[in-house]
Amino acid sequence: MTQDDAKHAVAQRAVEFVESGMRVGLGTGTTSTMFIRALAEQVQRGLKIRCVASSDASHHLGLSLGMDVTTLDELPELDIYVDGADEVCVQDAGLNLIKGGGAALLREKIVASAAKRFLVVVDSSKVVAQLGAFPLPVEVIKMALPLVRPRLAALGLEPKLRMKKDGSGPLHTDEDNYILDCMCGAIPDPAAIAAAIRAIVGVVEHGLFLHMSNLALVAGDDGVRELHG
Ligand code: 5RP
């Protein structure tokens, strides 16, 4: 099974967790895009749902597929949020994640926190024994960059400003901030590093999602399995 096949399989399975009448949070990234497309097919067949998206891209994708996508102003409480992750780890009787590979971590955390349930959808390459091989994204207010970067480095992280894919300059998030991708190495105590990063003035959010979900759907050669935290 290729990684794309796995993403497709897990996206299809996640649709089964959505029932008519639900308020659904839409994630961001390639797996979430497959989920949104699969969900839109059910909407076309009569599934009645309302959605809030965690990025401009997912918002516009949903609308373009005929879905009812609105904002947290109208729907401040959601039944379920479905999104991918860059790393998933079962730790301290819960699931810990690194997210933000698609630069949407701030809105993703906001929308996830509005939902009663956060269903993580990943291919098996994302499941790790310890977080930290994937660079941890940290969203930073632009004017604070010269202050935040050395303070992250002083924590032993190696912050690197994320650039646009075409190299034309720094990437701006949907909320018009910068992203610093931090090489951490293994993160044995995610709560401690999350608190230390959060304490730096000018940091808006970081990509550690700690105990925000207790269920991941994981697709691999053996099919789609449930990973409980
Ligand atoms: C975007 C994210 C994504 O969910 C994460 O990067 C996984 O993406 P993909 O499904 O494309 O592998 O956090 O900010």
Side-chain angles (χ1 to χ4, degrees), residues 28-30 54-55 57 85-86 99-106 108 134 137 162 165 171-174 179 181:
T28 299
T30 53
S54 59
S55 62
D86 301 299
K99 286 186 50 56
L105 63 125
L106 173 58
E108 289 172 339
F134 190 91
R162 194 181 298 185
K165 285 212 173 78
L171 180 141
H172 297 211
T173 68
D174 283 349
I179 298 278
D181 289 307

Side-chain angles (χ1 to χ4, degrees), residues 31-156:
T31 317
S32 291
T33 294
M34 292 184 197
F35 169 71
I36 295 167
R37 290 189 183 282
L39 197 56
E41 282 176 20
Q42 295 308 315
V43 168
Q44 280 151 21
R45 291 188 186 128
L47 182 75
K48 298 268 179 266
I49 53 169
R50 303 201 70 201
C51 304
V52 173
S54 59
S55 62
D56 290 344
S58 293
H59 183 97
H60 295 309
L61 175 65
L63 288 179
S64 75
L65 296 169
M67 299 169 81
D68 177 357
V69 190
T70 182
T71 64
L72 290 173
D73 293 318
E74 263 191 77
L75 283 188
E77 289 178 18
L78 304 172
D79 296 293
I80 190 166
Y81 177 59
V82 181
D83 198 2
D86 301 299
E87 285 187 345
V88 181
C89 176
V90 180
Q91 204 168 15
D92 306 326
L95 290 184
N96 287 338
L97 317 174
I98 288 183
K99 286 186 50 56
L105 63 125
L106 173 58
R107 289 194 186 174
E108 289 172 339
K109 206 175 269 190
I110 292 168
V111 179
S113 73
K116 289 181 196 150
R117 186 172 198 200
F118 175 8
L119 179 65
V120 180
V121 284
V122 289
D123 66 85
S124 56
S125 71
K126 308 287 186 68
V127 180
V128 296
Q130 195 166 51
L131 297 178
F134 190 91
L136 175 64
V138 177
E139 184 155 348
V140 177
I141 295 281
K142 285 185 197 163
M143 76 166 284
L145 185 69
L147 304 184
V148 173
R149 197 166 5 196
R151 289 174 188 172
L152 287 169
L155 293 176

